[in-house]
Structure formats: structure tokens, C-alpha cells
Amino acid sequence: QVQLVESGGGLVQPGGSLRLSCAASGSSINSINTMGWYRQAPGKPRELVAGITSGGSTRYADSVKGRFTISRDNAKRTVYLQMNSLKPEDTAVYYCNADVNTYLRRNLPALGQGTQVTVSS
């Protein structure tokens, strides 16, 4: 079993900052490939926000480039999303995802339960 647990969401004013964290756990985890963050706003499809490989290569949605920074701590099996200069359109449920290699299976997709981010004055 692989679990992803997110934290750090909440209510913030426009222009503010939040830092999301997501920790992977499970005794069967051997290694973790790409980790990332998706988001879904009401009435909209889920979209990729940012991703990071095990080697540290990153990619971002155009809408967050220059404002959001993704990072990871491989020893802690944790991925972070630093969100600065937040806008109301960043309001969404943010989901952590990971591509996990277990001792029985490679490339097992895992998804967190989601954390709400609301940007409003």
C-alpha cells in the first residue's frame, strides 16, 4: 500500500503565499519516480500544476511559471509546492501524485486525497 498525505492548504489573500507538502508512505515503496501536483477548480478539468523527476528536473504549467516552485526531499519521500503571488484563479483542490516503484510493481500511480487552496480577500 502506498499513501500520499498532503498538508498546507488554506485560505490566503491575493498576493499571499502558501507552501504545500506531500509525504509518501508505505512499507512496499522501493523508490519514487516523478512526483507532482495537480489541481481542480469547480467545473473545470484537473490540470497539471508542476512536476519533478527523481533527478530534480521540473516542469510547470504556464499559468504558474515564475510564481510556484516545486521541490522534493528524496530521503523524506516528500514533495513541496511553494506558491507565491497567489491569485483568485489559483483557487482549487490541489492533489499530490507520484509514480512509485514498489517491490512487486513498477510505475504504480498514487494520488493524494487533496487539499483545498482558496485565494480570496
Side-chain angles (χ1 to χ4, degrees):
Q1 294 287 347
V2 176
Q3 284 189 317
L4 301 179
V5 179
E6 299 121 333
S7 61
L11 173 64
V12 64
Q13 293 186 342
S17 298
L18 281 176
R19 189 192 193 208
L20 305 183
S21 299
C22 171
S25 64
S27 59
S28 63
I29 295 176
N30 184 15
S31 61
I32 302 176
N33 303 315
T34 300
M35 302 184 80
W37 293 91
Y38 285 78
R39 68 185 180 186
Q40 188 166 21
K44 294 186 177 181
R46 189 174 296 176
E47 63 171 349
L48 175 68
V49 177
I52 184 167
T53 68
S54 57
S57 297
T58 59
R59 61 172 176 162
Y60 297 92
D62 288 342
S63 59
V64 307
K65 283 181 181 176
R67 301 187 298 122
F68 291 10
T69 302
I70 189 170
S71 61
R72 65 189 283 174
D73 184 330
N74 290 328
K76 295 182 178 180
R77 294 175 176 172
T78 299
V79 63
Y80 306 95
L81 186 67
Q82 178 66 44
M83 305 185 292
N84 298 329
S85 302
L86 283 161
K87 305 175 181 179
E89 51 263 43
D90 294 318
T91 296
V93 178
Y94 284 70
Y95 297 89
C96 169
N97 86 298
D99 180 50
V100 180
N101 297 322
T102 69
Y103 293 105
L104 296 178
R105 178 180 168 182
R106 295 185 61 81
N107 303 113
L108 177 70
L111 189 69
Q113 81 284 356
T115 185
Q116 177 70 46
V117 171
T118 302
V119 184
S120 175
S121 56

